[in-house]
């Protein structure tokens, strides 16, 4: 494999570890835990893994002898910077505990376990991937591990390879499934431990015990670099409004973090839109108002950050999408026989009066996206909707009307961007490189201590790595019951942006100033070598939350 100069230098980087994991380690147990809600229901569904104590690793006076263990690892869902370091942390951790331990990777996600598609990860292979971005060491996939026959197929290969523990690196859904698998293997007394690791650039897998999901730090820094560059371009040419959509699925953490880093003129936060019951027109009016106000100062340029999931948080759009989902599911055949050119009118004629009016007001392309693109569960794939174009077009229409009325005298030319895939496989920042390696190393210790149904946890990460606190959190502790596909299911509670949280409050306190002034910040590219204040800063979100 040909390597860049940075890759070569970066391969030699030794990720930092919490002090407690460097020498001899002992596990201390806290009090019994409870799920965040629906305790009785969760307890009944997880009789073997409910109520377990929190685990904290501490320095021990003398080291323990551990038997060799074979461990399997799976990368699940969307890529996030640092996945390779989780794997190298697991590898180094199990080898430290017993050099005869072995690590197997299941190929292309949970499907690899079910289909018995695997490879042994030896020292040579691991060394090729240390501190690199991507999940390409074994690949990732989105197969859901949820059926008993999948668990049994998995058990066959785990038994054959004498694997005693499986680490699932994933987001909230994958870790929910890890917990269900841990419970299943415990109930069957198969002797296989299952440990989860918190991954997702979206930043929505976090709670009291999990400070952040890995990858959020690096991805936000990459997007902020590029937005910063765009803002400098924007402030140089002074002729475009840039509409920038940012990945993140439902939650607006990425958009909010980027806003805190770059100080754009506008950032929409989906959770606020929902809380204030805003309509699409309210959002458009707000943006147009800022554009018009800047125009009076002669500033016909600016930046607008838009979270990927916005559409689903606009209450009226949410109702429209829900009715469309039901209608199309029930009338799929009839709809498929309608000529493309007549589909829009057909839908307008079938929906309730309120939803029909909203649907009719949407631009042609967006209306089509809402009816055509469904995921395997029958839901609209919101990330495929060009919200940035939709908003820019609607703002242009509103400004044209205001111009007629003499309320807008400026110019309005737009550029559109969508940043998502650009950041998911970036070389992990020092924060993610260290955090991920520590998460993997912690997972090795959870395995050595016989734990199952736990998520690897590393906390206090705004302090120097030496002071980080490593341990394990029972996954059942993060669960509640939610309606999924018409049934109540136990799931890890998703963390959306809290409107009373410090990051949102910091943003809300400054946004009017950022709207009017041009006070852009240009973060520049991630730095891997250099002064610690340049290289090792955690996200603003984490700093504000932990302050
Ligand atoms: P995960 O939740 O699996 O980590 O995925 C994150 C994400 O990048 C979302 O931000 C985005 O909506 C989605 O994946 C895109 O999915 P895909 O990779 O299948 O295009």
């Amino acid at each position: 494999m040909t390597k860049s100069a940075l890759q070569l230098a970066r391969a030699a980087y030794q990720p930092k570890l919490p002090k407690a994991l460097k020498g001899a380690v002992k596990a201390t147990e806290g009090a019994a835990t409870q799920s965040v809600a629906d305790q009785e229901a969760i307890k009944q569904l997880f009789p073997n893994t409910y109520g377990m104590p929190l685990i904290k690793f501490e320095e021990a006076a003398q080291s323990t002898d551990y038997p060799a263990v074979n461990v399997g690892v799976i990368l699940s869902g969307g890529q996030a910077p640092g996945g390779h370091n989780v794997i190298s942390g697991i590898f180094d951790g199990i080898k430290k505990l017993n050099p005869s331990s072995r690590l197997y990777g299941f190929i292309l996600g949970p499907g690899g376990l079910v289909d018995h598609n695997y490879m042994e990860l030896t020292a040579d292979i691991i060394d090729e991937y240390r501190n690199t971005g991507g999940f390409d060491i074994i690949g990732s996939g989105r197969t859901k591990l949820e059926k008993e026959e999948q668990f049994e197929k998995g058990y066959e290969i785990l038994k054959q390879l004498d694997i005693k523990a499986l680490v699932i690196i994933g987001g909230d859904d994958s870790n929910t499934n890890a917990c269900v698998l841990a419970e299943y293997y415990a109930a069957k007394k198969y002797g296989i431990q299952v440990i989860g690791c918190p991954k997702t650039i979206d930043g929505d897998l976090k709670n009291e015990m999990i400070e952040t999901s890995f990858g959020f730090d690096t991805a936000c820094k990459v997007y902020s670099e590029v937005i910063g560059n765009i803002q400098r371009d924007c402030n140089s040419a002074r002729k475009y409004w840039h509409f920038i959509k940012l990945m993140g699925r439902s939650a607006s953490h990425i958009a909010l973090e980027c806003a805190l880093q770059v100080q754009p003129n506008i950032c929409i936060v989906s959770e606020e839109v929902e809380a204030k019951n805003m309509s699409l027109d309210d959002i458009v009016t707000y943006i147009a108002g800022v554009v018009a106000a800047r125009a009076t100062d002669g500033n016909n340029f600016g930046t607008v950050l838009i979270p990927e999931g916005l559409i689903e948080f606009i209450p009226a759009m949410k109702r429209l999408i829900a009715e469309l989902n039901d209608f199309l599911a029930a009338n799929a055949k009839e709809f498929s026989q309608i000529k493309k050119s007549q589909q829009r009118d057909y839908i307008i004629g079938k929906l309730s009066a309120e939803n029909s009016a909203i649907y009719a007001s949407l631009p042609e392309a967006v209306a089509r996206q809402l009816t055509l693109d469904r995921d395997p569960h029958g839901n609209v794939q919101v990330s495929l909707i060009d919200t940035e174009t939709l908003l820019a077009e609607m703002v242009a229409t509103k400004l044209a009307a205001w111009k007629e009325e003499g309320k807008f005298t400026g110019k309005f030319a737009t550029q559109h961007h969508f940043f998502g895939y650009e950041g998911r496989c970036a070389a992990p920042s020092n924060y993610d490189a260290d955090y991920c390696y520590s998460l993997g190393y912690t997972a090795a210790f959870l395995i050595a201590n016989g734990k199952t149904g736990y998520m690897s946890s590393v906390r206090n990460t705004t302090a120097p790595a030496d002071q980080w606190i490593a341990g394990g959190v029972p996954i059942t502790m993060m669960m509640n019951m939610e309606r999924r596909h018409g049934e109540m299911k136990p799931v890890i509670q998703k963390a959306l942006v809290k409107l009373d949280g410090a990051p949102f409050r910091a943003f809300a306190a400054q946004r009017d100033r950022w709207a009017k002034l041009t006070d852009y910040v240009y973060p520049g590219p991630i730095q891997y070598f250099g002064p610690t204040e340049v290289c090792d800063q955690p996200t603003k979100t984490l700093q504000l939350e932990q302050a």
Side-chain angles (χ1 to χ4, degrees), residues 346-411:
Y346 167 83
I347 292 284
I348 291 171
K350 296 287 180 182
L351 295 177
S352 63
E354 186 204 355
N355 288 335
S356 174
I358 296 172
Y359 187 80
S361 73
L362 295 173
E364 181 85 38
V366 176
R368 185 170 296 283
Q369 279 159 345
L370 286 180
T371 52
L372 291 185
D373 304 307
R374 289 291 182 279
D375 75 3
H377 306 288
N379 295 315
V380 175
Q381 296 189 54
V382 284
S383 64
L384 296 180
I385 299 174
D386 302 328
T387 335
E388 67 282 23
T389 312
L390 168 71
L391 287 178
E393 280 179 14
M394 293 180 83
V395 170
T397 307
K398 179 145 306 238
L399 288 170
W402 285 1
K403 200 160 227 171
E404 298 272 294
E405 297 164 27
K407 279 163 62 184
F408 173 60
T409 48
K411 293 187 193 127

Side-chain angles (χ1 to χ4, degrees), residues 205-241:
L205 173 48
K206 64 176 171 183
N207 49 55
E208 218 183 300
M209 301 305 298
I210 303 292
E211 286 182 354
T212 186
S213 54
F214 78 76
F216 176 69
D217 184 275
T218 311
C220 288
K221 284 173 178 160
V222 172
Y223 305 142
S224 297
E225 177 208 346
V226 188
I227 300 166
N229 295 349
I230 287 175
Q231 292 193 148
R232 205 147 212 168
D233 191 289
C234 174
N235 197 16
S236 306
R238 304 191 187 177
K239 62 175 182 183
Y240 292 126
W241 271 87

Side-chain angles (χ1 to χ4, degrees), residues 45 67 135-136 165 212 240 255 309 314 400 449 504 522 538:
L45 289 165
F135 279 4
D136 44 320
T212 186
Y240 292 126
I314 301 171
N449 282 276
F504 181 79
Y522 312 116

Side-chain angles (χ1 to χ4, degrees), residues 90-166:
I90 301 171
F91 182 85
D92 291 353
I94 61 172
K95 290 282 183 190
K96 175 184 162 170
L97 293 169
N98 189 312
S100 304
S101 294
R102 295 167 85 165
L103 183 63
Y104 292 89
F106 289 96
I107 312 291
L108 287 174
L113 178 73
V114 179
D115 303 335
H116 299 186
N117 195 2
Y118 65 90
M119 67 192 274
E120 183 172 357
L121 296 170
T122 55
D124 291 355
I125 299 172
I126 294 283
D127 286 348
E128 285 288 309
Y129 289 91
R130 289 180 191 273
N131 308 310
T132 57
F135 279 4
D136 44 320
I137 185 169
I138 47 176
S140 184
R142 290 197 185 273
T143 304
K144 269 179 180 278
L145 275 186
E146 56 184 356
K147 297 196 190 93
E148 196 171 321
E149 71 216 52
Q150 293 174 310
F151 300 166
E152 286 295 332
K153 283 291 280 178
Y155 178 53
E156 271 173 32
I157 188 68
L158 295 171
K159 207 164 53 170
Q160 193 183 312
L161 296 172
D162 196 25
I163 290 177
K164 294 281 186 269
L166 185 64

